[in-house]
Amino acid sequence: MPAADPLPDVVRADAGLVVISPLYVGGARQQKEVADEVLARWTRTPIPQGLLSMSVFTSLDGEALLAYAQWTDDDQYATHLRTAERGPLDLVDAVRYRLYRSMNDTTGEPSCVITATFDVDGPERQRHIVDALAEAASRVEPFTGALSAHFHLSVDGTRVLNYAEWTSLQAHDQAVENAELDEIYRISLETPGVRATRGRAYHLHGALHAN
């Protein structure tokens, strides 16, 4: 896959389901090998009915992969699971999500994606934490390099994932040091029924787009 593959259009209207699969690989060599294997398997066969895009990301620490797949709906994805060849990212903690809320801070060219994830106690807590974080973020000036934040809610009501696009990892790291983020951190760490888990920084390794 060419390095110039575009990031997924997270807000595309026809994507009714997002399936996100993380995989720990433990080293940069294994990371590239598995990422190449995943993309090669998806390009060897016709694109499944209902799959809109499949993007494979490599974490900047060399330890993990993330597959971000957009599907038209649950039924098409369920059909794929019943009939398809299994691959390394199909059955490793694959979680079904729906996009809940997006924030676009500014325009620019993204070069990395930062994920933040939460385990939560049910659908009400999913919506509560996202709305609280979005409200807190709206009270501070946009940070240089922050392009967008897309909050996804798992279909089973147990998780939240923020997929954020940045111009660079350096821009993100500089923003982390800003005291204006203290309220956002407090909400992330102290909201009852919400537990922050590890996020990562990723680069796009390659992608498959149906159209």
Side-chain angles (χ1 to χ4, degrees):
M1 285 291 173
D5 283 340
L7 289 173
D9 178 6
V10 176
V11 298
R12 62 183 296 171
D14 54 350
L17 180 72
V18 179
V19 180
I20 300 177
S21 307
L23 180 65
Y24 178 80
V25 292
R29 179 176 177 180
Q30 299 95 315
Q31 186 185 55
K32 183 179 185 305
E33 289 175 353
V34 177
D36 287 342
E37 176 189 350
V38 171
L39 290 170
R41 183 176 63 85
W42 282 97
T43 56
R44 281 197 302 266
T45 59
I47 296 174
Q49 184 73 27
L51 178 64
L52 302 172
S53 75
M54 163 65 76
S55 302
V56 178
F57 295 86
T58 53
S59 66
L60 274 61
D61 59 13
E63 294 182 347
L65 300 179
L66 188 80
Y68 184 100
Q70 294 174 298
W71 293 81
T72 55
D73 55 48
D74 295 77
D75 291 341
Q76 296 288 1
Y77 177 61
T79 298
H80 165 72
L81 287 182
R82 289 196 300 269
T83 61
E85 169 193 357
R86 300 301 188 195
L89 286 179
D90 282 331
L91 297 178
V92 181
D93 202 23
V95 180
R96 294 181 301 136
Y97 288 91
R98 291 193 175 89
L99 181 64
Y100 172 64
R101 184 167 181 170
S102 292
M103 302 170 62
N104 295 301
D105 292 328
T106 184
T107 59
E109 188 65 29
S111 73
C112 70
V113 168
I114 310 292
T115 63
T117 57
F118 303 88
D119 288 337
V120 300
D121 295 341
E124 185 277 334
R125 292 287 88 184
Q126 284 181 309
R127 296 187 295 271
H128 176 86
I129 186 63
V130 172
D131 293 342
L133 290 172
E135 174 63 23
S138 71
R139 294 194 292 266
V140 301
E141 290 295 321
F143 294 105
T144 300
L147 301 177
S148 64
H150 305 281
F151 292 94
H152 298 66
L153 308 184
S154 67
V155 173
D156 65 5
T158 66
R159 304 186 196 188
V160 171
L161 182 141
N162 180 22
Y163 170 109
E165 296 174 335
W166 287 78
T167 56
S168 68
L169 179 63
Q170 291 75 19
H172 171 266
D173 290 346
Q174 290 174 7
V176 167
E177 302 299 323
N178 196 307
E180 291 183 339
L181 287 177
D182 288 350
E183 176 65 8
I184 293 174
Y185 292 144
R186 186 193 65 77
I187 293 170
S188 298
L189 296 175
E190 298 180 7
T191 299
V194 175
R195 295 162 295 281
T197 61
R198 180 176 179 178
R200 292 184 187 272
Y202 294 93
H203 280 161
L204 180 66
H205 183 76
L208 173 71
H209 299 273
N211 48 47

